[in-house]
Amino acid sequence: MPNNIINFSANWNNKLDCMAFTTIRLRNSNKYQIGKEYKIILKKNFKKNARIEAIKTIYFNQINEFIAHLDTGYSAHETKNIIKKMYSKVNLETQPFSFILLKTLN
């Protein structure tokens, strides 16, 4: 059972129901590591176990339609507004993000 937890406030794009899904997080190489297993928690409820398969470092200005629609189901503009609200105290011009690919564990 994984000790690490990734919390979700919403099941954006119903991605947590898929075998593979992404998440955009503030870069934290101590917490998010390829090969590590995580408990996926949705609104304080256990959803599933998953393993990080890949991590790509991106910056706010690199969030395009492809990344946004895949991750949230919303446009790049709408996704950026969501991120601005979530991280209102973070300098989004310089803050690196991790675009994380997770795979559901059986």
Side-chain angles (χ1 to χ4, degrees):
M1 201 70 123
N3 292 328
N4 298 307
I5 295 172
I6 300 177
N7 288 298
F8 289 84
S9 61
N11 189 3
W12 307 103
N13 206 21
N14 293 316
K15 64 185 177 183
L16 299 180
D17 299 329
C18 298
M19 290 301 298
F21 56 97
T22 61
T23 186
I24 299 170
R25 302 285 166 144
L26 297 177
R27 191 173 73 188
N28 180 342
S29 55
N30 291 323
K31 179 170 183 173
Y32 305 115
Q33 297 177 5
I34 295 170
K36 261 190 171 176
E37 295 181 2
Y38 297 81
K39 287 182 184 176
I40 304 303
I41 306 296
L42 174 60
K43 297 180 183 175
K44 300 184 181 179
N45 294 309
F46 175 80
K47 180 77 175 167
K48 63 169 75 179
N49 292 315
R51 179 179 50 245
I52 292 181
E53 296 293 321
I55 301 172
K56 180 178 180 179
T57 299
I58 62 171
Y59 289 87
F60 188 75
N61 66 356
Q62 294 175 301
I63 297 172
N64 56 24
E65 296 300 323
F66 183 89
I67 291 170
H69 277 93
L70 184 63
D71 193 67
T72 67
Y74 293 107
S75 71
H77 176 76
E78 291 168 308
T79 299
K80 287 179 178 182
N81 283 337
I82 292 166
I83 291 171
K84 284 178 185 177
K85 288 178 187 170
M86 289 174 64
Y87 301 118
S88 61
K89 297 180 183 190
V90 174
N91 180 348
L92 298 176
E93 299 304 315
T94 60
Q95 172 65 49
F97 287 85
S98 291
F99 187 44
I100 302 171
L101 174 65
L102 294 113
K103 183 178 175 186
T104 300
L105 298 173
N106 294 334

